[in-house]
Amino acid sequence: MSQSIEQPADGTTGRTPVRAVPTSADVARLAGVSRATVSYVLNNTSAVRISEPTRERVREAARELGYVPHAAARTLRAGHSRLVLLPTAHVPVGPLYSGFFNDLQWALRRLDYTVVQYGSVGLAAEDAARAWAELRPAAVVSMGEVEVTPGAVEILRRSGVKAVITVGTRAAEGTHSLVLDQPRVGEVAAEHLIATGRRRIGVVVPEEPGLGMFSGPRLDGARRAAEAAGATVVPLPLAYTEESAVALAARWPELGLDAVFGYNDEYAMLLMRALQDAGVDVPGDTAVIGADDLLLGRLLRPRLSTVHIDLIEGGELAALVDDAVNGTADATGRRPLLDSRVIVRESS
Amino acid sequence: MSQSIEQPADGTTGRTPVRAVPTSADVARLAGVSRATVSYVLNNTSAVRISEPTRERVREAARELGYVPHAAARTLRAGHSRLVLLPTAHVPVGPLYSGFFNDLQWALRRLDYTVVQYGSVGLAAEDAARAWAELRPAAVVSMGEVEVTPGAVEILRRSGVKAVITVGTRAAEGTHSLVLDQPRVGEVAAEHLIATGRRRIGVVVPEEPGLGMFSGPRLDGARRAAEAAGATVVPLPLAYTEESAVALAARWPELGLDAVFGYNDEYAMLLMRALQDAGVDVPGDTAVIGADDLLLGRLLRPRLSTVHIDLIEGGELAALVDDAVNGTADATGRRPLLDSRVIVRESS
DNA sequence: TTGAAAGCGATACCAA
DNA sequence: TTGGTATCGCTTTCAA
């Protein structure tokens, strides 16, 4: 196989002393004005009126020098940044999250924020908070992958972070919290299975770390629905490997289950295949339902039933972030943040 | 369904004038030393000897105040940051990339860099470059999702960015380029199909935007292999929807293909299911192979053959980034960056 | 061993 | 309408 590592053709890296980075003073000098004027022109400061010829000279000088303002200097002077920090742990998987992230970033950029994701794998909550705080972001928006402890919130607050927003399974103290109703996902799944005559329901609990924040509440929701109907729920630990699924399927007769909620479509697909290979008829012997409504679920036979989840829209969260930064956020206008509904196909 | 937006219980947001953020001057005051001493202690400056009691007083004061250094001020003073910017467009899909990203971030943090991902959807190359340049990162590492034009490189260079590194399908001018051999993926797939007696090979070309950087080279690689063996390659545009797959499968008889390379496992799974539903026997009538070696490919029947791709390790890329920033990167030590091999299962 | 002070780049007040 | 200048928080040289 071929491969290559290429270097810049010229010697611009390292050796050659890089041409000094242009500052607003350089722009001022070239345009023959003061630095203040440069600032006024480049920021379109409306409180000050600058003649059009001067404006043009300044802009031309900036263009010629390739001037780019220095965010750190601006931040220092302003006393605050326009940075919004999105901590991420495991890179969010699935079209649900990735679409959401793109929307959010786009909407925040329209509001003149600079959005960055900060990978925080392997950092304890408060170490992570200190790392974030060094950047003095205007806001931190946690999507529930990274734990935000009260101590972490305190660190951020004392560092001048205007808003801490958490989106997750439960409210985090001291933050603006958007609580996504994860139990509801398990509940609608269980209700559907019960309504179609099932009584002993297995609920997959992924063994992969980092999913506990979601799987626990979904299990609880299923339990709630089962108790209300006199049905039984059995937790089923499962790793995302073929071996684990085969092992679980092998125990199926002794478990005596007539239905299973697979946590999400991926785990459900994995388990369904293992069950079929073990001679279990789906949905005859056991009904199977997943969650997330992945396209792939329609490719198996029987087609996989699923719980469709509607997430809050990125644009709305962006507006909330802006309000929180400005201190104008309120608790009015509450609306559904997470809507769950069953899509019945062939596996249940 | 239930939902809620919660606010901080106390009135810390907006109204209450937030307690001033502690600076190193505050720490100095509390510890009864100068700001210089604080800096020495907190940065473990080895060139200066500070008595142990003093060090402890400073550290204690910092702890008590919840002091967190101000990255912008440090950057301004130092003349450079320790920021590494990873532009992302579409959130990287698949376990291959997400594992890689985590490794890279972890390794760079060990080298004392601050890594952030910058979502750059919907920004033209040079606008994006200006946005990145405002942050004055030490390095920009593009994973091929965002185009890095020569103009963009120039903007970054003039803003003092020490290293621009691109990982993608081809070298980008003026950057350290890691060229991943995408054609090789298509080539090994086609070679395998030809070796098993296939002669008319379809190659899926995803219609989704942003995948062109990968699909084109893979198609070219397949073409190369086919030409060498006197076989034929037919490009097959396909959107990632069930309808598109069904429509393509309906045209199958007139296409007269005896094999298809599905671009990756997801497209391959989608198409294989549509083919089966249309009465095409896999692999009897038509062989199918994907790429990426997803677990899900093993869940279909027949099990999906695939091209397994080994990506460069995050830790190695981190080392290269560090060398590039320090100007010590060289072109020696070339090694495979991307290795492709066929995993034959049942669909081919 | 510690302190005083200059200066990084951009902005906004106050004069002119 | 434009310019001079103090200031943000931190690091580092030079003096003490």
Side-chain angles (χ1 to χ4, degrees):
Chain A
M1 66 155 283
S2 85
Q3 90 297 325
S4 71
I5 301 180
E6 281 202 21
Q7 286 206 85
D10 49 5
T12 44
T13 319
R15 299 189 295 271
T16 311
V18 185
R19 171 168 68 280
V21 178
T23 72
S24 72
D26 296 319
V27 177
R29 198 153 26 232
L30 183 57
V33 299
S34 75
R35 297 158 66 210
T37 304
V38 171
S39 177
Y40 294 142
V41 172
L42 264 30
N43 294 303
N44 283 312
T45 308
S46 52
V48 171
R49 314 188 75 74
I50 307 277
S51 68
E52 193 48 49
T54 305
R55 305 181 90 86
E56 197 39 57
R57 277 217 317 287
V58 169
R59 278 194 281 258
E60 173 55 27
R63 210 173 305 125
E64 185 173 331
L65 292 174
Y67 171 73
V68 176
H70 194 308
R74 193 201 300 261
T75 293
L76 190 55
R77 170 64 224 218
H80 59 260
S81 73
R82 293 288 291 176
L83 206 61
V84 174
L85 202 72
L86 305 182
T88 54
H90 320 280
V91 175
V93 285
L96 187 68
Y97 267 111
S98 74
F100 174 82
F101 260 82
N102 280 346
D103 287 356
L104 177 62
Q105 300 203 5
W106 194 83
L108 282 171
R109 196 160 42 220
R110 303 229 8 144
L111 292 168
D112 201 34
Y113 291 97
T114 297
V115 185
V116 300
Q117 286 172 247
Y118 194 115
S120 307
V121 247
L123 286 180
E126 310 202 348
D127 291 335
R130 260 181 290 270
W132 307 338
E134 290 197 4
L135 297 175
R136 295 292 191 274
V140 172
V141 181
S142 166
M143 295 293 299
E145 306 173 66
V146 179
E147 198 189 7
V148 180
T149 64
V153 173
E154 174 65 13
I155 288 168
L156 294 173
R157 280 256 128 75
R158 284 163 77 137
S159 305
V161 175
K162 297 282 212 335
V164 180
I165 290 148
T166 53
V167 182
T169 57
R170 59 167 190 275
E173 196 156 354
T175 74
H176 287 269
S177 299
L178 303 198
V179 179
L180 300 182
D181 195 354
Q182 293 288 342
R184 181 71 185 147
V185 178
E187 191 179 42
V188 300
E191 280 172 353
H192 159 68
L193 294 171
I194 290 164
T196 53
R198 313 287 173 164
R199 279 296 167 270
R200 284 187 50 82
I201 302 170
V203 173
V204 169
V205 180
E207 291 178 346
E208 275 66 28
L211 260 34
M213 295 191 95
F214 303 101
S215 61
R218 289 185 186 187
L219 174 61
D220 291 341
R223 280 215 168 95
R224 189 199 307 155
E227 275 168 22
T232 314
V233 156
V234 178
L236 303 172
L238 176 65
Y240 192 62
T241 65
E242 219 172 352
E243 302 73 50
S244 177
V246 167
L248 177 55
R251 295 196 297 123
W252 214 248
E254 72 195 61
L255 287 166
L257 303 171
D258 57 10
V260 60
F261 168 50
Y263 171 68
N264 73 10
D265 284 350
E266 294 190 307
Y267 285 86
M269 287 193 266
L270 180 64
L271 179 56
M272 185 166 82
R273 166 53 62 196
L275 288 176
Q276 289 177 313
D277 288 350
V280 177
D281 181 47
V282 178
D285 299 330
T286 299
V288 178
I289 186 169
D292 284 355
D293 193 14
L294 298 187
L295 173 59
L296 258 24
R298 284 184 252 178
L299 304 184
L300 296 184
R301 293 298 179 269
R303 290 164 184 260
L304 184 68
S305 296
T306 191
V307 178
H308 181 94
I309 301 173
D310 281 323
L311 202 57
I312 181 177
E313 283 197 25
E316 298 180 62
L317 181 51
L320 174 64
V321 170
D322 192 40
D323 283 343
V325 168
N326 297 330
T328 55
D330 61 3
T332 63
R334 294 189 179 193
R335 55 173 300 288
L337 299 178
L338 179 75
D339 204 356
S340 301
R341 66 176 195 281
V342 169
I343 296 180
V344 181
R345 291 208 265 258
E346 300 163 359
S347 69
S348 70
Chain B
M1 64 153 285
S2 86
Q3 91 296 324
S4 71
I5 302 180
E6 281 200 20
Q7 286 207 85
D10 49 5
T12 43
T13 318
R15 298 188 296 272
T16 312
V18 185
R19 173 169 66 281
V21 178
T23 71
S24 74
D26 295 318
V27 176
R29 199 152 28 232
L30 183 58
V33 299
S34 75
R35 297 157 64 211
T37 305
V38 171
S39 177
Y40 293 143
V41 172
L42 264 30
N43 295 304
N44 284 312
T45 309
S46 51
V48 170
R49 314 186 70 75
I50 307 279
S51 67
E52 194 48 48
T54 304
R55 304 182 91 88
E56 196 40 56
R57 278 218 314 287
V58 170
R59 279 192 282 256
E60 173 54 29
R63 211 173 304 129
E64 186 172 331
L65 293 174
Y67 171 73
V68 175
H70 194 308
R74 189 202 300 262
T75 293
L76 192 54
R77 169 65 223 225
H80 59 259
S81 74
R82 293 289 290 178
L83 205 62
V84 173
L85 203 72
L86 305 182
T88 54
H90 320 280
V91 174
V93 285
L96 186 69
Y97 266 112
S98 73
F100 174 82
F101 259 82
N102 280 346
D103 287 355
L104 177 61
Q105 300 203 6
W106 193 83
L108 282 170
R109 197 160 44 220
R110 301 230 9 145
L111 291 169
D112 201 34
Y113 291 97
T114 297
V115 184
V116 300
Q117 285 173 249
Y118 193 114
S120 307
V121 246
L123 286 179
E126 309 202 349
D127 291 335
R130 260 181 290 271
W132 306 337
E134 291 196 5
L135 297 176
R136 296 292 192 273
V140 173
V141 181
S142 166
M143 295 294 299
E145 307 174 66
V146 179
E147 198 188 8
V148 180
T149 64
V153 173
E154 175 64 14
I155 288 167
L156 294 173
R157 280 257 126 77
R158 284 163 76 136
S159 305
V161 174
K162 297 282 214 333
V164 181
I165 290 147
T166 53
V167 182
T169 58
R170 60 168 189 273
E173 196 155 355
T175 74
H176 288 268
S177 300
L178 301 199
V179 179
L180 301 182
D181 193 355
Q182 293 288 341
R184 180 71 187 146
V185 179
E187 190 179 44
V188 299
E191 281 172 353
H192 160 66
L193 294 171
I194 290 164
T196 54
R198 312 288 173 166
R199 278 296 167 269
R200 285 186 51 81
I201 302 171
V203 173
V204 169
V205 181
E207 291 179 346
E208 275 66 28
L211 259 35
M213 294 191 97
F214 302 102
S215 61
R218 289 185 188 187
L219 174 61
D220 292 340
R223 279 213 168 97
R224 190 198 307 155
E227 274 167 24
T232 313
V233 156
V234 178
L236 302 172
L238 176 65
Y240 193 61
T241 65
E242 218 170 352
E243 301 75 50
S244 177
V246 167
L248 178 56
R251 295 196 298 122
W252 213 248
E254 72 196 59
L255 286 167
L257 302 171
D258 58 9
V260 61
F261 168 49
Y263 170 68
N264 72 9
D265 284 349
E266 294 189 305
Y267 286 86
M269 286 192 267
L270 180 63
L271 179 56
M272 185 167 79
R273 166 53 63 194
L275 288 175
Q276 289 178 314
D277 288 350
V280 176
D281 180 46
V282 177
D285 301 329
T286 300
V288 177
I289 185 169
D292 283 356
D293 193 15
L294 297 187
L295 173 58
L296 258 23
R298 284 185 252 177
L299 304 184
L300 297 184
R301 293 298 180 267
R303 291 166 184 256
L304 184 67
S305 295
T306 191
V307 178
H308 180 94
I309 302 173
D310 280 323
L311 201 58
I312 181 177
E313 283 197 26
E316 297 180 64
L317 181 51
L320 174 64
V321 170
D322 191 41
D323 284 343
V325 168
N326 297 330
T328 55
D330 61 4
T332 63
R334 295 188 178 192
R335 54 173 301 289
L337 300 176
L338 178 76
D339 204 356
S340 302
R341 65 175 195 280
V342 168
I343 296 180
V344 181
R345 289 209 265 259
E346 301 163 359
S347 68
S348 69

